[in-house]
Amino acid sequence: MDNEYARREFLRQAAAGGVGGLVLPTWLAFGNVCRANQTGADQSRSNALDKHNQKGNTLMAYTLPNLPYGFDALQPYIDEQTMRIHHDKHHNAYVTNLNKALEGHLDLATKSVEELMLAVPKLPEDIKIAVRNNAGQHYNHSLYWEIMAPPGKSGGEPTGKLADAISSTFGGFAKFKEVLTKSAVTCFGSGWAWLYVGKDGKLAVCSTSNQENPLTAGKVDSAAKQLLVVDVWEHAYYLKYQNRRPDYLDAWWNIVNWPRVAERFNQAATA
Ligand code: MN3
């Protein structure tokens, strides 16, 4: 039983009055919910149904995933302070605010983050914007951490089927790099740039604003088709690069975790 299934099954049973005869704790936290995009680190991370304490009445549906490397591990390309603030403050705030918005909505708390993002148009008006913003940001950041790795385990070019698909779609890796960089650098305001497998089964690049992603923009069938993302909100680079987004992009290519992106590509074929 995978973590996500366990999480939802537990919540369903909890909603029905109890889990396996246990007294139902009213304050719960669950493992990482980015199931569709699980990394090796996610899978080895502690399982769902991680009971914390039983104070209050807040259902903690989503938790901040740990980084799969140290805060200083991406140096010199991304500095430690940026990573600490970005993960512990920014991403953490999205998770906290998402849980806050879902208080009293057990039906929504049982959803995966992917299901939740797709449910946004049908959500009650009083929580719609908060859930849209924070669920999107939680998802996007989780994927961003996942597809980076420390120097020595990252950078260069992909190999195998992903390399072949990049070559046939974009006319080579250098051309692809140019297209994605341009998309990221020219994204107006805060946003993200993506590599994904579109509904036609072909690789494509796009940028999205704020918390949007190809899934919420209707460009992919499932979150698993989103292969790679780079955060171009200023908080991702401002401390080290100030206004020089192109310099951040140049640096970022050195820490792309191509083996992980290739794995996502292979999995996307059957997702
Ligand atoms: Mn960010």
Side-chain angles (χ1 to χ4, degrees):
M1 186 160 70
D2 83 0
N3 293 357
E4 178 63 16
Y5 179 79
R7 181 182 79 89
R8 284 190 284 172
E9 197 48 36
F10 184 85
L11 284 167
R12 278 192 194 107
Q13 291 183 33
V19 179
L22 295 171
V23 174
L24 174 64
T26 52
W27 197 94
L28 304 167
F30 297 93
N32 176 57
V33 295
C34 238
R35 168 194 48 163
N37 308 291
Q38 279 198 332
T39 61
D42 289 331
Q43 284 151 8
S44 64
R45 210 172 287 145
S46 67
N47 227 322
L49 305 186
D50 175 28
K51 271 185 268 177
H52 284 256
N53 65 50
Q54 301 186 19
K55 288 188 294 190
N57 292 302
T58 306
L59 184 73
M60 289 283 291
Y62 297 92
T63 56
L64 180 67
N66 293 322
L67 289 180
Y69 33 74
F71 290 107
D72 61 353
L74 303 183
Q75 297 191 118
Y77 304 108
I78 301 181
D79 59 291
E80 178 177 353
Q81 192 186 12
T82 295
M83 290 299 288
R84 282 190 185 279
I85 295 172
H86 201 173
H87 179 269
D88 287 6
K89 304 295 182 189
H90 291 278
H91 190 172
N92 189 49
Y94 300 127
V95 174
T96 301
N97 291 332
L98 178 58
N99 287 330
K100 211 178 281 176
L102 292 176
E103 274 175 26
H105 295 275
L106 190 60
D107 55 327
L108 299 175
T110 59
K111 292 182 185 295
S112 67
V113 70
E114 175 178 355
E115 289 168 337
L116 193 58
M117 291 189 291
L118 291 172
V120 163
K122 289 173 270 169
L123 295 184
E125 287 302 322
D126 62 328
I127 61 167
K128 186 185 278 187
I129 301 299
V131 172
R132 182 197 69 186
N133 292 350
N134 292 297
Q137 287 293 77
H138 174 40
Y139 174 86
N140 293 355
H141 282 93
S142 300
L143 181 58
Y144 174 65
W145 309 134
E146 177 185 328
I147 58 79
M148 295 189 290
K153 297 177 180 172
S154 58
E157 298 184 17
T159 53
K161 286 181 192 165
L162 176 60
D164 296 343
I166 285 175
S167 284
S168 63
T169 305
F170 300 98
F173 182 77
K175 188 72 191 151
F176 155 70
K177 196 171 160 181
E178 204 180 300
V179 170
L180 184 67
T181 299
K182 188 177 175 195
S183 182
V185 169
T186 59
C187 174
F188 184 72
S190 297
W192 306 81
W194 303 83
L195 172 68
Y196 62 95
V197 180
K199 289 181 174 174
D200 60 0
K202 290 183 178 160
L203 287 176
V205 162
C206 75
S207 67
T208 58
S209 293
N210 301 321
Q211 82 296 332
E212 296 290 338
N213 50 54
L215 182 73
T216 60
K219 292 173 184 287
V220 295
D221 295 324
S222 80
K225 309 264 181 177
Q226 303 176 143
L227 307 182
L228 173 73
V229 67
V230 56
D231 188 345
V232 294
W233 282 58
E234 280 187 346
H235 68 223
Y237 61 88
Y238 205 84
L239 289 178
K240 185 173 172 73
Y241 299 99
Q242 293 82 48
N243 60 316
R244 303 186 308 278
R245 191 188 286 181
D247 291 357
Y248 158 65
L249 260 297
D250 277 351
W252 176 80
W253 284 107
N254 291 291
I255 45 173
V256 174
N257 184 347
W258 286 116
R260 181 60 196 139
V261 178
E263 245 173 63
R264 290 185 64 86
F265 177 67
N266 295 338
Q267 288 161 1
T270 56

